[in-house]
Amino acid sequence: MSAPNIETIVSLAKRRGFVFPASEIYGGLGSSWDYGSLGVELANNIKQSWWRWLVYERDDIEALDSSIIQNRLVWKYSGHETTFSDPLVDCRACKGRFRQDKLQDVECPNEPSVCAGSRKECDLTEAREFNLMFRTTVGAVAADDDETALAYLRPETAQGIFINFANVLNTSRRKLPFGIAQIGKSFRNEVTPGNFIFRTREFEQMEMEYFCRPEDAPQIHQEFIDGFQSWFHSIGISAENLKLYEQSKEELAHYAERTVDILYRFFPERSDENAQFDELMGIANRTDFDLKTHSKKPEDAEGKRLNSDSTEDLSYFDEAKKERFYPYVIEPAAGVNRTVLAVLMDAYTEKTNQKGETRVILKLKPALAPVKVAVLPLAKNKPEIVALASQIKKDLQHAMRAVYDDTGGIGKLYARQDEIGTPFCVTVDHESLEDQTVTVRDRDTWEQERVKITELKNYLQKRLS
Ligand code: ATP
């Protein structure tokens, strides 16, 4: 099974310290979230898995960490200043403000609903374009609206990669094809954020730009579409909750030749099967648009430079073919936060114990689990047991994320670890003091096994991998 809806995950996340509403003690800040201990670990593990799979396990990917605030010209030539906007509509009746293309996903802001809970009843204004980039000013400027100091918080990590293409190429001495990977925060002043961490104004992206010859782009594109589905399976997302979506000609960005989105069943409660799915990541063939637009050389029909500000030409010289051209780019772009949500939803399971009580088990892949092993003393009033349990935790902590917990009875402690997805619990009891063995309990089967303390680390490492 997986979670019946996002709300189930919202309450689990808050109850157990994965994710909290941001600025909560001041009434919150619409759709901003803070990640607690377990959320940080889970997100880190997801990013590490992506990084390992993409950067370490291949031989053709370089890494980058570019600035969030760049020269404003980056966003002029990328097209974001003029086209990175959503169509905004206002309702004259309920005074709500909505994204025209996402009307079906939003609720009337009034209680009770002025528009009968349905956007169809809304009295909507004409749509107008609303730019999603957050504006800021750089340096000690006289006025907030000083255009010369205007800068933006990046709305995607991709542009930082394109403008560093020549730096990476020259320092790594790469030949095509190769990619540049980056993980980092992005910011979009979304018109209608919501659905927990699905759509927020501050979020994190895992993006890779893969540069190749134009004729190789379609096949490489397909390989990444297949590859990323496999990666999602490898981190525990079931195939039945994933779906591909091929963007239509009308939906494609002006620079894209083909874009395929990988969708996840974020809304299983919806009756319409298609409406259950929404975007987890996008994989686009962006053609040679990006490197060309940031280059100083390309000219229009009259011989005028298309980019009069760039000081660099981001073309590539193919030594073997003695040919200069602008590489095509394949871009797999995934959201960290949406992946966290999908992983939590897919791992969510309920199980009934012998007493007939329902227990939540988060069946996370061990690699993603925030805590790998919890060491629990059976009797916390026995100093020898407590000391041995603490020592076992210390011995394990170098090899894996281990925690010690003695804040409840053993049944409660097991239930708590199940609920946060800890694959193994190690229990230290009276017998442990005599025969130097402990009980290892499996999260998914609740089966218990007696293991020698001297062999515990190896035993756990083997089972965790
Ligand atoms: P959407 O159509 O849902 O607005 P998008 O197509 O604009 O998303 P991309 O620009 O392709 O998104 O960004 C790549 C990925 O970044 C998305 O697939 C998603 O996982 C993540 N992402 C984009 N916007 C947000 C957001 N506001 N909150 C959380 N994650 C986001």
Side-chain angles (χ1 to χ4, degrees), residues 10 18 57 69 92 103 115 144 174 245 258 289 291 300 306 334 350 380 399 404 440:
V10 177
F18 281 93
E57 291 175 18
I69 299 176
R92 294 183 190 92
L103 280 174
C115 305
D144 283 349
R174 286 280 183 187
Y245 177 76
R258 181 185 176 213
F289 170 79
L291 294 182
D300 64 14
L306 292 172
E350 288 175 1
K380 73 167 172 181
Y404 168 88
V440 177

Side-chain angles (χ1 to χ4, degrees), residues 188 190 198-200 203 205 279-281 333 335 338:
R188 297 182 188 176
E190 298 276 2
F198 176 81
R199 187 181 304 284
T200 50
F203 56 99
Q205 291 184 304
E279 181 176 328
L280 178 56
M281 80 174 291
R338 285 189 195 178

Side-chain angles (χ1 to χ4, degrees), residues 248-260:
S248 67
K249 283 247 155 7
E250 296 71 46
E251 290 169 300
L252 281 178
H254 64 94
Y255 49 74
E257 194 167 292
R258 181 185 176 213
T259 298
V260 174

Side-chain angles (χ1 to χ4, degrees), residues 20 47 52 72-73 77 103 111 120 182 186 217 291 294 302 332 359 383 386 411 425 438 459-460:
F20 309 113
K47 288 184 271 185
R52 246 190 223 127
R72 182 183 163 188
L73 292 169
Y77 288 104
L103 280 174
E111 293 277 352
K120 287 192 198 91
Q182 162 157 248
S186 292
L291 294 182
H294 288 303
E302 278 97 54
R359 293 276 182 248
V386 167
C425 287
V438 287
Y459 171 92
L460 290 172

Side-chain angles (χ1 to χ4, degrees), residues 12-20 34-40 42 340 344 362 364 370 419-421:
L12 171 69
K14 181 156 190 212
R15 190 167 71 243
R16 298 314 317 277
F18 281 93
V19 182
F20 309 113
D34 295 338
Y35 287 68
S37 226
L38 301 172
V40 174
L42 176 58
V340 167
L344 284 172
L362 216 46
L364 295 170
E419 208 181 26
I420 64 167

Side-chain angles (χ1 to χ4, degrees), residues 104-341:
Q104 72 282 2
D105 296 344
V106 294
E107 296 286 320
C108 180
N110 284 290
E111 293 277 352
S113 167
V114 173
C115 305
S118 158
R119 300 273 62 79
K120 287 192 198 91
E121 310 294 323
C122 270
D123 179 12
L124 297 175
T125 59
E126 285 283 296
R128 63 186 189 285
E129 290 300 316
F130 173 74
N131 195 291
L132 300 184
M133 285 196 292
F134 274 100
R135 296 157 71 99
T136 186
T137 48
V138 174
V141 293
D144 283 349
D145 58 357
D146 182 348
E147 283 283 310
T148 62
L150 174 63
Y152 302 104
L153 302 190
R154 69 177 175 205
E156 60 175 34
T157 65
Q159 298 302 323
I161 297 180
F162 301 133
I163 58 173
N164 276 290
F165 175 72
N167 287 334
V168 176
L169 182 68
N170 296 335
T171 50
S172 66
R173 313 192 72 77
R174 286 280 183 187
K175 287 194 168 53
L176 291 189
F178 73 95
I180 305 176
Q182 162 157 248
I183 298 178
K185 289 244 170 150
S186 292
F187 304 82
R188 297 182 188 176
N189 201 0
E190 298 276 2
V191 177
T192 39
N195 291 314
F196 190 36
I197 54 174
F198 176 81
R199 187 181 304 284
T200 50
R201 296 192 170 106
E202 174 180 342
F203 56 99
E204 212 169 2
Q205 291 184 304
M206 305 181 276
E207 294 198 296
M208 197 267 290
E209 308 300 326
Y210 196 81
F211 303 95
C212 62
R213 293 187 62 88
E215 64 273 24
D216 297 337
Q219 193 190 330
I220 292 171
H221 190 198
Q222 190 55 48
E223 284 165 10
F224 280 117
I225 296 165
D226 299 339
F228 272 94
Q229 288 180 90
S230 304
W231 179 70
F232 282 123
H233 295 157
S234 79
I235 60 166
I237 297 182
S238 48
E240 71 196 40
N241 289 331
L242 286 176
K243 195 161 100 167
L244 291 184
Y245 177 76
E246 183 91 35
Q247 286 192 10
S248 67
K249 283 247 155 7
E250 296 71 46
E251 290 169 300
L252 281 178
H254 64 94
Y255 49 74
E257 194 167 292
R258 181 185 176 213
T259 298
V260 174
D261 294 333
I262 299 183
L263 313 183
Y264 179 75
R265 200 191 298 269
F266 285 108
F267 307 99
E269 74 282 9
R270 291 181 180 166
S271 53
D272 172 10
E273 165 102 17
N274 271 335
Q276 294 177 358
F277 289 84
D278 211 329
E279 181 176 328
L280 178 56
M281 80 174 291
I283 309 171
N285 175 349
R286 300 178 64 114
T287 69
D288 58 2
F289 170 79
D290 304 287
L291 294 182
K292 235 182 195 166
T293 195
H294 288 303
S295 287
K296 64 179 180 180
K297 282 196 177 158
E299 295 174 343
D300 64 14
E302 278 97 54
K304 191 167 159 273
R305 278 171 65 187
L306 292 172
N307 184 329
S308 51
D309 295 298
S310 170
T311 58
E312 186 71 60
D313 185 57
L314 303 175
S315 62
Y316 173 85
F317 186 70
D318 190 322
E319 291 285 352
K321 299 200 166 163
K322 302 286 177 229
E323 194 186 345
R324 184 169 284 283
F325 60 95
Y326 293 97
Y328 265 41
V329 176
I330 302 300
E331 176 192 77
V336 173
N337 319 78
R338 285 189 195 178
T339 308
V340 167
L341 181 56

